[in-house]
Amino acid sequence: MSEANHPSDELRKAIEAEIEVCKRPLRGFASNHSDESGFARSGRPCTKYPVDIATMPVPLSISLALKLLLQCHDLGRTEKLTWEYPFTYQEVECSIAAEKFGIRLYVEQVEAGRGIEARTIAGKIASAARMMDKNLLSMMGKQALIAGNITIPNLYYKLRGLYEYFRSAAHEAYAGNGELARKAEEDSANTFLVGPINKQLAIRREGLYATIAMVSSYFSLLEHVLVLSIPSTNFDPPTEEVSSFIGMTLFEKYDRIFAEADSKEAHRLRERLKHVAETWRNPYSHGGFDKMRKAIGFHVEGLGVLPIGLSSITKTPEFHLFPDRDQGFDELCKTFDEIDTFLTEGPLWASTEWMKTGLDVPLDKESLEKFRQIEGEGGDNFAAYIAETSYYVDRAMNMDW
Protein backbone atom coordinates (compact mmCIF):
# COMPACT_ATOMS: atom_id res chain seq x y z
CA MET A 1 0.00 0.00 0.00
CA SER A 2 1.42 3.39 -0.96
CA GLU A 3 1.92 6.03 1.70
CA ALA A 4 -0.72 8.26 0.08
CA ASN A 5 -3.33 5.54 0.55
CA HIS A 6 -2.34 4.56 4.08
CA PRO A 7 -5.40 4.47 6.41
CA SER A 8 -3.85 7.01 8.79
CA ASP A 9 -3.25 9.38 5.87
CA GLU A 10 -6.85 9.03 4.75
CA LEU A 11 -8.00 9.76 8.29
CA ARG A 12 -5.83 12.88 8.40
CA LYS A 13 -7.42 14.17 5.19
CA ALA A 14 -10.90 13.45 6.55
CA ILE A 15 -10.08 15.37 9.73
CA GLU A 16 -8.85 18.37 7.73
CA ALA A 17 -12.08 18.40 5.71
CA GLU A 18 -14.22 18.15 8.85
CA ILE A 19 -12.34 21.05 10.44
CA GLU A 20 -13.41 23.27 7.54
CA VAL A 21 -17.03 22.24 8.09
CA CYS A 22 -16.85 23.07 11.80
CA LYS A 23 -15.47 26.55 11.07
CA ARG A 24 -18.71 27.68 9.43
CA PRO A 25 -20.40 29.07 12.59
CA LEU A 26 -17.28 31.18 13.27
CA ARG A 27 -17.58 33.59 10.35
CA GLY A 28 -16.60 37.03 11.60
CA PHE A 29 -14.18 35.54 14.15
CA ALA A 30 -10.40 35.73 13.92
CA SER A 31 -7.45 34.93 16.13
CA ASN A 32 -5.76 37.87 17.86
CA HIS A 33 -2.09 36.99 18.19
CA SER A 34 -1.13 40.57 18.93
CA ASP A 35 -2.98 40.38 22.26
CA GLU A 36 -0.57 39.07 24.90
CA SER A 37 -2.46 40.22 27.99
CA GLY A 38 -6.14 39.39 27.47
CA PHE A 39 -8.82 40.81 29.73
CA ALA A 40 -9.29 38.40 32.64
CA ARG A 41 -5.95 39.26 34.25
CA SER A 42 -4.98 42.60 32.74
CA GLY A 43 -7.60 45.03 34.04
CA ARG A 44 -8.13 46.50 30.56
CA PRO A 45 -11.50 48.22 30.03
CA CYS A 46 -14.06 45.61 29.00
CA THR A 47 -17.42 44.12 29.81
CA LYS A 48 -17.42 40.76 31.55
CA TYR A 49 -20.20 38.24 30.88
CA PRO A 50 -20.78 34.95 32.72
CA VAL A 51 -21.54 32.26 30.17
CA ASP A 52 -24.57 30.10 30.88
CA ILE A 53 -23.19 26.54 31.09
CA ALA A 54 -26.55 25.21 29.90
CA THR A 55 -25.91 26.78 26.48
CA MET A 56 -22.27 25.72 26.23
CA PRO A 57 -20.54 22.36 25.75
CA VAL A 58 -17.90 21.28 28.22
CA PRO A 59 -15.05 23.79 28.68
CA LEU A 60 -12.51 21.58 26.91
CA SER A 61 -14.66 21.62 23.76
CA ILE A 62 -14.66 25.42 23.82
CA SER A 63 -10.91 25.50 24.28
CA LEU A 64 -10.40 23.03 21.44
CA ALA A 65 -12.71 24.96 19.10
CA LEU A 66 -10.79 28.21 19.60
CA LYS A 67 -7.41 26.56 19.30
CA LEU A 68 -8.12 24.15 16.44
CA LEU A 69 -10.61 26.11 14.35
CA LEU A 70 -9.31 29.66 14.85
CA GLN A 71 -5.68 28.96 15.81
CA CYS A 72 -6.11 31.19 18.84
CA HIS A 73 -3.31 31.16 21.40
CA ASP A 74 -3.72 30.38 25.08
CA LEU A 75 -2.40 33.09 27.40
CA GLY A 76 -1.61 30.44 29.99
CA ARG A 77 -2.67 29.73 33.53
CA THR A 78 -2.82 32.04 36.47
CA GLU A 79 -4.45 32.02 39.88
CA LYS A 80 -7.93 30.47 39.61
CA LEU A 81 -7.78 30.55 35.82
CA THR A 82 -6.97 27.57 33.59
CA TRP A 83 -6.88 29.19 30.16
CA GLU A 84 -7.78 32.37 28.29
CA TYR A 85 -8.00 32.71 24.50
CA PRO A 86 -8.02 36.18 22.91
CA PHE A 87 -9.85 36.63 19.59
CA THR A 88 -11.80 39.20 17.62
CA TYR A 89 -15.40 39.20 16.53
CA GLN A 90 -16.31 41.71 13.82
CA GLU A 91 -12.97 43.38 14.61
CA VAL A 92 -13.92 43.84 18.28
CA GLU A 93 -11.35 42.44 20.71
CA CYS A 94 -12.64 39.68 22.98
CA SER A 95 -11.43 36.78 25.06
CA ILE A 96 -12.98 33.78 26.73
CA ALA A 97 -11.56 32.20 29.89
CA ALA A 98 -12.08 29.13 32.06
CA GLU A 99 -12.12 30.37 35.64
CA LYS A 100 -12.72 28.54 38.89
CA PHE A 101 -16.37 29.53 39.05
CA GLY A 102 -17.22 29.15 35.39
CA ILE A 103 -16.63 30.32 31.83
CA ARG A 104 -16.34 34.08 31.37
CA LEU A 105 -16.54 36.05 28.11
CA TYR A 106 -14.79 39.43 27.90
CA VAL A 107 -15.64 42.06 25.25
CA GLU A 108 -13.80 45.34 24.86
CA GLN A 109 -15.86 48.46 25.42
CA VAL A 110 -17.02 49.88 22.09
CA GLU A 111 -18.87 52.95 21.04
CA ALA A 112 -22.64 52.96 21.23
CA GLY A 113 -24.42 51.47 18.27
CA ARG A 114 -21.93 48.75 17.43
CA GLY A 115 -24.46 46.14 18.55
CA ILE A 116 -22.02 43.49 19.71
CA GLU A 117 -23.99 41.00 21.83
CA ALA A 118 -22.18 38.62 24.14
CA ARG A 119 -24.97 36.06 23.73
CA THR A 120 -24.36 35.98 19.97
CA ILE A 121 -20.62 35.45 20.41
CA ALA A 122 -21.10 32.69 22.97
CA GLY A 123 -23.78 31.05 20.83
CA LYS A 124 -21.57 30.88 17.75
CA ILE A 125 -18.68 29.39 19.71
CA ALA A 126 -21.05 26.86 21.27
CA SER A 127 -22.42 25.95 17.84
CA ALA A 128 -18.93 25.30 16.48
CA ALA A 129 -18.05 23.21 19.53
CA ARG A 130 -21.22 21.12 19.15
CA MET A 131 -20.39 20.51 15.49
CA MET A 132 -16.97 19.28 16.57
CA ASP A 133 -18.59 16.94 19.08
CA LYS A 134 -20.68 15.35 16.34
CA ASN A 135 -17.88 13.92 14.17
CA LEU A 136 -14.54 15.64 14.52
CA LEU A 137 -13.68 14.65 18.08
CA SER A 138 -14.31 10.96 17.45
CA MET A 139 -12.14 11.14 14.31
CA MET A 140 -9.36 12.85 16.24
CA GLY A 141 -9.74 10.30 19.03
CA LYS A 142 -9.32 7.47 16.55
CA GLN A 143 -6.19 9.12 15.18
CA ALA A 144 -4.76 9.52 18.69
CA LEU A 145 -5.66 5.94 19.57
CA ILE A 146 -3.73 4.63 16.58
CA ALA A 147 -0.70 6.69 17.60
CA GLY A 148 -1.02 5.76 21.29
CA ASN A 149 -1.43 9.39 22.39
CA ILE A 150 -4.13 8.60 24.92
CA THR A 151 -4.78 8.42 28.64
CA ILE A 152 -6.66 5.52 30.25
CA PRO A 153 -9.09 6.63 32.99
CA ASN A 154 -8.36 4.96 36.31
CA LEU A 155 -11.47 3.16 37.59
CA TYR A 156 -9.55 0.96 40.00
CA TYR A 157 -11.34 1.99 43.19
CA LYS A 158 -14.81 1.90 41.64
CA LEU A 159 -14.29 -1.63 40.37
CA ARG A 160 -12.50 -2.75 43.54
CA GLY A 161 -15.33 -1.33 45.63
CA LEU A 162 -17.83 -3.36 43.60
CA TYR A 163 -15.84 -6.56 44.16
CA GLU A 164 -15.38 -5.94 47.89
CA TYR A 165 -19.08 -5.14 48.30
CA PHE A 166 -20.17 -8.50 46.89
CA ARG A 167 -17.42 -10.35 48.74
CA SER A 168 -18.64 -8.87 52.02
CA ALA A 169 -22.24 -9.64 51.04
CA ALA A 170 -21.34 -13.29 50.37
CA HIS A 171 -19.52 -13.53 53.70
CA GLU A 172 -22.52 -12.14 55.56
CA ALA A 173 -24.93 -14.38 53.65
CA TYR A 174 -23.04 -17.56 54.51
CA ALA A 175 -22.94 -16.40 58.14
CA GLY A 176 -26.75 -16.28 58.12
CA ASN A 177 -26.96 -12.49 58.25
CA GLY A 178 -28.28 -11.92 54.74
CA GLU A 179 -31.61 -10.47 53.70
CA LEU A 180 -32.98 -13.75 52.31
CA ALA A 181 -32.13 -15.62 55.53
CA ARG A 182 -33.86 -12.97 57.61
CA LYS A 183 -36.95 -13.10 55.43
CA ALA A 184 -37.04 -16.91 55.47
CA GLU A 185 -36.79 -16.85 59.24
CA GLU A 186 -39.68 -14.40 59.51
CA ASP A 187 -41.85 -16.34 57.07
CA SER A 188 -41.20 -19.66 58.85
CA ALA A 189 -41.41 -18.39 62.43
CA ASN A 190 -44.20 -20.82 63.37
CA THR A 191 -42.95 -23.88 61.49
CA PHE A 192 -40.71 -25.83 63.83
CA LEU A 193 -39.40 -28.35 61.29
CA VAL A 194 -39.55 -26.52 57.96
CA GLY A 195 -38.27 -23.18 59.28
CA PRO A 196 -34.60 -24.15 59.77
CA ILE A 197 -34.56 -25.93 56.39
CA ASN A 198 -35.96 -22.87 54.63
CA LYS A 199 -33.41 -20.67 56.33
CA GLN A 200 -30.54 -22.93 55.27
CA LEU A 201 -31.80 -22.90 51.68
CA ALA A 202 -32.03 -19.11 51.79
CA ILE A 203 -28.50 -18.82 53.23
CA ARG A 204 -27.06 -20.96 50.47
CA ARG A 205 -29.05 -19.25 47.72
CA GLU A 206 -28.07 -15.73 48.79
CA GLY A 207 -24.48 -16.78 49.33
CA LEU A 208 -24.38 -18.25 45.83
CA TYR A 209 -25.87 -15.08 44.30
CA ALA A 210 -23.33 -12.86 46.04
CA THR A 211 -20.43 -15.19 45.22
CA ILE A 212 -21.25 -15.19 41.50
CA ALA A 213 -21.43 -11.39 41.57
CA MET A 214 -18.13 -11.28 43.48
CA VAL A 215 -16.40 -13.44 40.86
CA SER A 216 -17.75 -11.40 37.94
CA SER A 217 -16.74 -8.12 39.55
CA TYR A 218 -13.23 -9.41 40.34
CA PHE A 219 -12.70 -10.48 36.74
CA SER A 220 -13.81 -7.04 35.61
CA LEU A 221 -11.39 -5.45 38.09
CA LEU A 222 -8.55 -7.68 36.94
CA GLU A 223 -9.11 -6.84 33.26
CA HIS A 224 -8.97 -3.15 34.15
CA VAL A 225 -5.81 -3.63 36.20
CA LEU A 226 -4.10 -5.42 33.30
CA VAL A 227 -4.88 -2.52 30.95
CA LEU A 228 -3.61 0.01 33.50
CA SER A 229 -0.43 -2.07 33.84
CA ILE A 230 0.73 -1.41 30.27
CA PRO A 231 3.47 1.03 31.47
CA SER A 232 5.17 -1.79 33.42
CA THR A 233 5.65 -3.85 30.25
CA ASN A 234 7.36 -3.38 26.91
CA PHE A 235 3.99 -2.76 25.27
CA ASP A 236 4.38 -0.20 22.46
CA PRO A 237 1.03 1.57 21.82
CA PRO A 238 1.76 2.84 18.26
CA THR A 239 2.66 -0.64 17.02
CA GLU A 240 0.36 -2.85 19.11
CA GLU A 241 -2.76 -0.61 19.27
CA VAL A 242 -4.33 -0.17 22.68
CA SER A 243 -7.85 -0.64 21.31
CA SER A 244 -6.97 -4.13 20.09
CA PHE A 245 -5.47 -4.97 23.47
CA ILE A 246 -8.58 -3.75 25.31
CA GLY A 247 -10.68 -5.95 23.03
CA MET A 248 -8.78 -9.12 23.98
CA THR A 249 -10.17 -11.68 26.38
CA LEU A 250 -8.99 -11.63 29.98
CA PHE A 251 -6.54 -14.48 29.46
CA GLU A 252 -5.15 -12.95 26.25
CA LYS A 253 -4.52 -9.74 28.20
CA TYR A 254 -2.95 -11.74 31.02
CA ASP A 255 -0.61 -13.60 28.66
CA ARG A 256 0.47 -10.39 26.91
CA ILE A 257 1.11 -8.48 30.13
CA PHE A 258 3.18 -11.28 31.66
CA ALA A 259 4.81 -12.40 28.38
CA GLU A 260 8.23 -11.02 29.32
CA ALA A 261 8.06 -11.83 33.03
CA ASP A 262 8.70 -15.59 32.65
CA SER A 263 7.17 -16.02 36.10
CA LYS A 264 6.21 -19.40 37.54
CA GLU A 265 3.89 -17.60 39.94
CA ALA A 266 2.13 -15.84 37.05
CA HIS A 267 1.62 -19.22 35.35
CA ARG A 268 0.37 -20.88 38.55
CA LEU A 269 -2.14 -18.12 39.23
CA ARG A 270 -3.29 -18.19 35.62
CA GLU A 271 -4.24 -21.85 36.01
CA ARG A 272 -6.10 -21.06 39.23
CA LEU A 273 -7.88 -18.21 37.52
CA LYS A 274 -8.82 -20.40 34.56
CA HIS A 275 -10.40 -22.93 36.93
CA VAL A 276 -12.41 -20.15 38.58
CA ALA A 277 -13.56 -18.91 35.18
CA GLU A 278 -14.71 -22.33 34.01
CA THR A 279 -16.39 -23.21 37.31
CA TRP A 280 -17.93 -19.92 38.41
CA ARG A 281 -17.85 -17.17 35.81
CA ASN A 282 -18.48 -18.75 32.42
CA PRO A 283 -21.65 -20.72 33.21
CA TYR A 284 -23.36 -17.68 34.69
CA SER A 285 -22.09 -15.13 32.15
CA HIS A 286 -23.36 -17.21 29.21
CA GLY A 287 -26.96 -17.76 30.18
CA GLY A 288 -26.29 -20.59 32.62
CA PHE A 289 -24.39 -22.75 30.11
CA ASP A 290 -20.78 -23.72 30.73
CA LYS A 291 -18.33 -24.14 27.86
CA MET A 292 -18.61 -27.93 27.85
CA ARG A 293 -22.43 -27.78 28.05
CA LYS A 294 -22.40 -29.99 31.14
CA ALA A 295 -25.64 -28.43 32.36
CA ILE A 296 -27.56 -29.95 29.44
CA GLY A 297 -29.36 -33.19 30.23
CA PHE A 298 -29.37 -36.29 28.04
CA HIS A 299 -32.07 -38.95 28.02
CA VAL A 300 -31.37 -42.50 29.23
CA GLU A 301 -34.14 -45.02 28.88
CA GLY A 302 -35.17 -46.41 32.22
CA LEU A 303 -33.30 -43.72 34.17
CA GLY A 304 -34.62 -40.42 32.87
CA VAL A 305 -32.58 -37.28 32.23
CA LEU A 306 -28.95 -37.12 33.36
CA PRO A 307 -26.60 -34.12 33.16
CA ILE A 308 -23.80 -34.44 30.58
CA GLY A 309 -21.35 -33.46 33.29
CA LEU A 310 -22.50 -36.12 35.75
CA SER A 311 -18.96 -37.20 36.65
CA SER A 312 -17.97 -33.64 37.61
CA ILE A 313 -21.22 -32.49 39.16
CA THR A 314 -19.77 -32.53 42.67
CA LYS A 315 -17.39 -29.74 41.61
CA THR A 316 -20.17 -27.35 40.63
CA PRO A 317 -21.29 -24.55 42.98
CA GLU A 318 -24.83 -25.97 43.32
CA PHE A 319 -24.15 -29.59 44.26
CA HIS A 320 -24.12 -29.61 48.08
CA LEU A 321 -27.53 -29.16 49.67
CA PHE A 322 -26.91 -27.84 53.21
CA PRO A 323 -23.27 -26.84 53.64
CA ASP A 324 -22.28 -24.51 56.46
CA ARG A 325 -20.42 -22.46 53.87
CA ASP A 326 -20.85 -22.98 50.16
CA GLN A 327 -18.26 -25.21 48.56
CA GLY A 328 -15.41 -23.14 47.18
CA PHE A 329 -16.09 -19.67 48.59
CA ASP A 330 -13.07 -19.65 50.90
CA GLU A 331 -10.89 -21.04 48.11
CA LEU A 332 -12.09 -18.29 45.78
CA CYS A 333 -11.19 -15.62 48.31
CA LYS A 334 -7.77 -17.20 48.80
CA THR A 335 -7.12 -17.24 45.04
CA PHE A 336 -8.12 -13.60 44.61
CA ASP A 337 -6.00 -12.57 47.59
CA GLU A 338 -2.98 -14.37 46.15
CA ILE A 339 -3.46 -12.61 42.81
CA ASP A 340 -3.71 -9.24 44.58
CA THR A 341 -0.48 -9.95 46.44
CA PHE A 342 1.28 -10.95 43.23
CA LEU A 343 0.12 -7.76 41.51
CA THR A 344 1.40 -5.68 44.42
CA GLU A 345 4.75 -7.41 44.88
CA GLY A 346 5.47 -8.89 41.43
CA PRO A 347 6.53 -7.40 38.08
CA LEU A 348 3.57 -5.01 38.01
CA TRP A 349 4.32 -3.41 41.39
CA ALA A 350 4.90 0.07 39.96
CA SER A 351 1.69 0.14 37.93
CA THR A 352 -0.22 -1.19 40.93
CA GLU A 353 1.18 1.58 43.12
CA TRP A 354 0.25 4.15 40.47
CA MET A 355 -3.33 2.96 40.06
CA LYS A 356 -3.89 2.88 43.83
CA THR A 357 -3.35 6.65 43.91
CA GLY A 358 -6.31 7.10 41.56
CA LEU A 359 -4.16 8.79 38.90
CA ASP A 360 -5.10 8.20 35.28
CA VAL A 361 -2.59 6.37 33.08
CA PRO A 362 -1.10 8.27 30.10
CA LEU A 363 0.27 6.09 27.30
CA ASP A 364 1.99 8.65 25.09
CA LYS A 365 5.66 8.03 24.32
CA GLU A 366 7.06 10.68 26.65
CA SER A 367 4.97 9.56 29.63
CA LEU A 368 5.80 5.87 29.12
CA GLU A 369 9.53 6.57 28.85
CA LYS A 370 9.50 8.59 32.07
CA PHE A 371 7.44 5.98 33.93
CA ARG A 372 9.73 3.14 32.90
CA GLN A 373 12.86 5.09 33.68
CA ILE A 374 11.79 5.93 37.23
CA GLU A 375 10.34 2.45 37.75
CA GLY A 376 13.83 1.11 37.05
CA GLU A 377 15.30 3.39 39.71
CA GLY A 378 13.40 1.61 42.49
CA GLY A 379 10.62 2.08 45.00
CA ASP A 380 11.77 5.26 46.75
CA ASN A 381 12.24 7.23 43.53
CA PHE A 382 8.98 5.90 42.16
CA ALA A 383 7.12 6.92 45.32
CA ALA A 384 8.55 10.43 44.95
CA TYR A 385 7.45 10.49 41.31
CA ILE A 386 3.90 9.56 42.30
CA ALA A 387 3.87 12.21 45.03
CA GLU A 388 5.06 14.87 42.61
CA THR A 389 2.49 13.91 39.98
CA SER A 390 -0.32 13.85 42.55
CA TYR A 391 0.73 17.31 43.77
CA TYR A 392 0.46 18.82 40.28
CA VAL A 393 -2.88 17.08 39.65
CA ASP A 394 -4.26 18.50 42.90
CA ARG A 395 -3.03 21.96 41.95
CA ALA A 396 -4.72 21.68 38.57
CA MET A 397 -8.02 20.60 40.12
CA ASN A 398 -7.96 23.60 42.46
CA MET A 399 -6.56 25.96 39.78
CA ASP A 400 -3.70 26.80 42.13
CA TRP A 401 -1.09 27.79 39.60
Side-chain angles (χ1 to χ4, degrees):
M1 182 182 293
S2 66
E3 185 177 347
N5 293 323
H6 193 277
S8 60
D9 190 59
E10 292 298 318
L11 181 58
R12 178 183 57 79
K13 291 179 180 179
I15 289 174
E16 291 174 355
E18 188 65 26
I19 286 175
E20 294 303 315
V21 172
C22 295
K23 286 182 179 180
R24 292 173 184 170
L26 298 179
R27 294 186 181 94
F29 287 76
S31 59
N32 187 9
H33 289 287
S34 63
D35 185 349
E36 295 295 337
S37 59
F39 291 101
R41 69 197 80 192
S42 67
R44 292 163 53 195
C46 66
T47 304
K48 175 181 177 180
Y49 301 94
V51 176
D52 184 0
I53 58 173
T55 65
M56 275 284 190
V58 296
L60 280 176
S61 293
I62 300 169
S63 176
L64 186 58
L66 293 167
K67 185 176 181 65
L68 189 63
L69 303 181
L70 292 179
Q71 289 76 52
C72 293
H73 64 290
D74 181 9
L75 296 174
R77 302 176 297 194
T78 188
E79 185 68 17
K80 308 306 178 188
L81 188 150
T82 304
W83 48 255
E84 182 180 8
Y85 289 92
F87 62 93
T88 63
Y89 175 66
Q90 295 183 358
E91 299 183 352
V92 174
E93 292 192 21
C94 310
S95 76
I96 191 166
E99 303 178 28
K100 186 168 185 177
F101 297 106
I103 304 295
R104 300 291 184 266
L105 175 66
Y106 296 85
V107 180
E108 72 169 323
Q109 295 178 355
V110 297
E111 65 272 17
R114 287 293 302 273
I116 301 297
E117 293 190 6
R119 184 166 54 183
T120 299
I121 296 174
K124 289 179 178 292
I125 294 174
S127 179
R130 281 193 292 270
M131 289 182 69
M132 291 177 62
D133 289 343
K134 187 175 181 180
N135 293 312
L136 183 59
L137 293 186
S138 62
M139 294 165 67
M140 292 177 65
K142 183 179 180 180
Q143 185 182 51
L145 192 58
I146 292 172
N149 294 324
I150 59 173
T151 292
I152 304 294
N154 186 348
L155 305 180
Y156 175 81
Y157 279 109
K158 288 184 179 180
L159 295 174
R160 179 136 206 117
L162 187 66
Y163 156 67
E164 291 179 349
Y165 173 84
F166 286 118
R167 176 166 169 164
S168 176
H171 179 83
E172 289 298 309
Y174 288 129
N177 301 322
E179 179 64 20
L180 295 185
R182 182 195 61 77
K183 189 174 185 303
E185 193 171 37
E186 290 178 355
D187 293 344
S188 305
N190 298 320
T191 54
F192 177 76
L193 181 62
V194 178
I197 296 176
N198 286 343
K199 183 176 180 180
Q200 285 298 319
L201 288 171
I203 287 173
R204 183 175 182 277
R205 186 166 64 250
E206 187 167 6
L208 179 65
Y209 294 165
T211 301
I212 293 168
M214 176 191 79
V215 171
S216 296
S217 58
Y218 187 81
F219 273 68
S220 178
L221 168 65
L222 183 57
E223 285 211 47
H224 188 67
V225 166
L226 293 175
V227 173
L228 295 186
S229 297
I230 284 176
S232 289
T233 71
N234 64 357
F235 192 102
D236 184 32
T239 59
E240 297 190 61
E241 291 193 17
V242 178
S243 59
S244 297
F245 177 70
I246 291 174
M248 291 179 178
T249 66
L250 168 65
F251 290 100
E252 288 173 336
K253 289 187 181 78
Y254 190 99
D255 292 341
R256 173 60 189 92
I257 288 296
F258 292 108
E260 60 192 292
D262 191 26
S263 168
K264 291 182 179 180
E265 183 68 356
H267 179 73
R268 184 185 72 84
L269 292 173
R270 186 192 190 282
E271 292 305 306
R272 295 272 296 275
L273 201 60
K274 185 177 180 181
H275 175 74
V276 172
E278 292 175 350
T279 305
W280 289 89
R281 187 191 66 165
N282 295 349
Y284 296 101
S285 62
H286 297 292
F289 300 104
D290 63 290
K291 186 170 63 175
M292 302 303 295
R293 306 296 183 256
K294 294 177 182 178
I296 297 175
F298 65 98
H299 298 191
V300 178
E301 188 175 353
L303 289 178
V305 180
L306 301 179
I308 290 176
L310 181 62
S311 62
S312 59
I313 192 172
T314 57
K315 298 178 182 179
T316 65
E318 297 184 352
F319 174 68
H320 297 280
L321 187 58
F322 298 125
D324 292 330
R325 195 176 185 89
D326 196 48
Q327 192 77 7
F329 174 70
D330 291 331
E331 190 64 25
L332 281 173
C333 293
K334 180 181 177 182
T335 295
F336 294 157
D337 290 345
E338 287 181 6
I339 294 172
D340 288 343
T341 299
F342 178 62
L343 293 172
T344 301
E345 300 176 358
L348 305 183
W349 67 268
S351 284
T352 303
E353 287 299 311
W354 182 277
M355 67 185 74
K356 285 182 178 179
T357 67
L359 293 168
D360 293 337
V361 179
L363 298 181
D364 60 281
K365 182 179 180 181
E366 182 180 354
S367 297
L368 284 178
E369 287 179 349
K370 186 172 183 179
F371 183 102
R372 289 164 180 169
Q373 173 199 335
I374 300 177
E375 178 184 24
E377 294 173 0
D380 290 342
N381 285 358
F382 194 79
Y385 175 48
I386 287 179
E388 178 186 29
T389 305
S390 300
Y391 169 73
Y392 285 117
V393 168
D394 288 342
R395 283 186 60 184
M397 291 179 66
N398 291 309
M399 295 189 180
D400 292 330
W401 315 118

